[in-house]
Amino acid sequence: MADKESVVRQTSEYTDIMEKNHMEIPWHDYTGDDSNTLIKESGLIEKASVIGRVGLIMLSCGTGAWRVRTSMNRLSKELHVTCTVDVGLMSIEFNCFDGKDCVSQSLSIANTGVNTSKLYRMEQFVNSFPSQEAHLTGEEIHKRLDEIEQIHELYSPAALACCGFTFLLGGGPVEMIFAFIAAGVGNLIRMKLIKHHYTLFLNIAVSISAACLTYAVCLHMAELLLHVSAVHEAGYICSMLFIIPGFPFITSGIDLAKLDLRSGLERLTYSIIIVLGATMFAWIMALLLKLQPQDFVALHLGSMMHLVLRLIASFCGVFGFSIMFNSSVYIAATAACIGAVANTLRLELVDYAGMPSAAAAFIGALTAGLLASIIKRDHGYPRISLTVPSIVIMVPGLYLY
């Protein structure tokens, strides 16, 4: 009997590991279904529930602490509430007070991620709040936020992004094709594991191992059937670039620049964990598969042809990364156009102007930021949804790994 109870207990513990460790917040309990009181006239607790939920959804989209706090502040001012906020990678602590009462809350999300489509909807919600949502009841506002939260993550074309990345790093058609296949397999597995709430390290280990194994199998089959040279082993590192934590890595820099040290350091630590974990498992797979990648084989292309192909590869790479961040097709295409111009400018400055890589990257990133600011002014797209994908492609992922 004791052994049977032990097995049941172990099975239960195993199952719990795969489930969410965070309880769902019953947001509608803060309001009454039959209440006709507008949010402006509601009590402080109900106002704080709206403010806190908006901040939590913004945080779940992967945006930085500055943007989360700005959104909460805008709602607070409209509701005549003073709000102080402390933002981390996965949690928010804030106080709301109106001169009479004070409400303190500590909220957290189950997992961090990136969803720029949801971010775009949230920015529209915050911008329209004074003219629309401020004239609704708390229950009606939470129903609108329910609809926004239903925007789920999409399957991302990591294969296209890694294929474009491979060419920009110096790879040829063979490396591009194999990286396309391997990255597609690895990212598909990664998305399945995320959906079932597996741990971060297991996610990294399985998806990276699958990508490296797929690349090695494709290369070995090509050697046997098509007599392809083994010098194309270098592309296996490109097949794992889909795991680069570009969004949290860049937003950590933004937070640190604005002295949001808690959020910046937590995001930076999260990015480093992913890079180190992916490097370790890629190294183990290289040892097991006896892969010894060297430099890419030189491509003999004319200057104009190289320029055109760089524009195309940059567009495809940024478009793929933008869709990986769950952007809409229009936002992804816009970011891809920005990235094609900015990244190609960076590469051309290095190759033909002899400019140091760091200086060229600064000019490329500055160009991307200025173009994104102009487009935001005309179309209202979130600037971070345009700048981060177009800059991520400049992150030296191959050299990191």
Side-chain angles (χ1 to χ4, degrees):
M1 180 64 70
D3 292 340
K4 184 177 180 180
E5 291 179 356
S6 177
V7 171
V8 172
R9 190 182 304 111
Q10 290 176 1
T11 304
S12 176
E13 290 175 356
Y14 175 79
T15 303
D16 289 341
I17 292 176
M18 306 310 171
E19 295 177 351
K20 287 184 178 180
N21 192 240
H22 294 71
M23 296 180 67
E24 298 291 339
I25 302 175
W27 295 109
H28 293 272
D29 289 355
Y30 289 97
T31 64
D33 292 337
D34 58 347
S35 175
N36 294 320
T37 306
L38 299 182
I39 188 63
K40 278 189 173 183
E41 302 170 359
S42 299
L44 183 60
I45 293 179
E46 189 168 343
K47 291 179 179 179
S49 72
V50 172
I51 296 170
R53 190 179 185 187
V54 167
L56 201 63
I57 297 176
M58 294 286 290
L59 184 66
S60 70
C61 297
T63 192
W66 180 272
R67 192 171 298 272
V68 172
R69 187 180 295 105
T70 299
S71 300
M72 297 177 70
N73 287 345
R74 291 188 65 181
L75 265 65
S76 299
K77 291 177 181 178
E78 189 64 29
L79 297 177
H80 307 294
V81 172
T82 300
C83 184
T84 59
V85 189
D86 185 22
V87 184
L89 174 65
M90 297 176 60
S91 62
I92 298 175
E93 287 80 37
F94 70 101
N95 299 310
C96 286
F97 43 95
D98 58 3
K100 297 179 181 179
D101 301 311
C102 178
V103 173
S104 299
Q105 290 189 354
S106 177
L107 306 174
S108 62
I109 53 179
N111 193 12
T112 185
V114 180
N115 193 325
T116 52
S117 292
K118 187 185 295 185
L119 176 62
Y120 182 37
R121 287 288 302 277
M122 285 303 300
E123 288 207 351
Q124 289 180 320
F125 176 90
V126 173
N127 291 334
S128 66
F129 189 86
S131 59
Q132 297 183 24
E133 283 78 11
H135 304 286
L136 301 177
T137 66
E139 178 66 19
E140 291 171 332
I141 292 175
H142 280 298
K143 287 181 178 179
R144 291 198 176 187
L145 293 175
D146 287 340
E147 296 175 359
I148 296 177
E149 281 197 315
Q150 295 304 313
I151 302 176
H152 296 294
E153 295 183 355
L154 307 172
Y155 171 68
S156 55
L160 179 65
C162 291
C163 179
F165 226 137
T166 302
F167 175 79
L168 295 173
L169 292 170
V174 175
E175 291 90 350
M176 292 172 66
I177 293 173
F178 293 164
F180 180 89
I181 298 172
V185 172
N187 192 61
L188 177 61
I189 294 175
R190 182 180 73 92
M191 297 300 292
K192 295 293 184 182
L193 294 176
I194 290 176
K195 183 179 179 180
H196 290 89
H197 312 296
Y198 284 88
T199 61
L200 176 64
F201 280 106
L202 181 62
N203 187 310
I204 295 173
V206 176
S207 59
I208 290 298
S209 300
C212 293
L213 179 61
T214 302
Y215 190 96
V217 170
C218 289
L219 180 60
H220 184 65
M221 295 298 293
E223 288 182 48
L224 294 178
L225 301 178
L226 304 176
H227 306 290
V228 173
S229 174
V231 298
H232 300 290
E233 288 182 350
Y236 98 91
I237 300 180
C238 298
S239 68
M240 54 182 276
L241 294 180
F242 64 88
I243 206 72
I244 286 181
F247 215 97
F249 186 74
I250 292 176
T251 53
S252 72
I254 297 174
D255 284 343
L256 291 174
K258 296 180 180 295
L259 292 182
D260 280 309
L261 297 182
R262 177 192 169 191
S263 177
L265 292 175
E266 288 182 10
R267 291 174 188 275
L268 182 60
T269 301
Y270 172 75
S271 304
I272 293 174
I273 288 174
I274 294 178
V275 171
L276 292 179
T279 302
M280 180 178 67
F281 288 107
W283 172 58
I284 292 173
M285 290 302 296
L287 291 178
L288 295 176
L289 299 172
K290 298 181 180 180
L291 295 174
Q292 297 179 341
Q294 300 177 1
D295 292 336
F296 289 111
V297 178
L299 299 176
H300 301 288
L301 299 172
S303 300
M304 187 55 63
M305 177 61 69
H306 208 176
L307 174 63
V308 173
L309 291 178
R310 275 178 170 173
L311 285 169
I312 297 174
S314 296
F315 181 92
C316 293
V318 175
F319 183 84
F321 275 115
S322 189
I323 297 295
M324 283 177 67
F325 299 149
N326 297 282
S327 297
S328 66
V329 175
Y330 295 106
I331 294 179
T334 305
C337 291
I338 295 174
V341 173
N343 190 58
T344 302
L345 173 63
R346 174 183 71 91
L347 295 173
E348 294 294 309
L349 289 175
V350 172
D351 289 348
Y352 298 105
M355 184 175 292
S357 299
F362 172 78
I363 293 176
L366 178 62
T367 302
L370 293 175
L371 291 175
S373 297
I374 295 172
I375 293 173
K376 174 181 171 58
R377 182 185 61 193
D378 295 336
H379 299 279
Y381 294 151
R383 185 164 48 237
I384 196 170
S385 301
L386 301 176
T387 54
V388 173
S390 58
I391 294 174
V392 163
I393 201 168
M394 302 181 190
V395 175
L398 177 67
Y399 306 105
L400 281 174
Y401 289 133

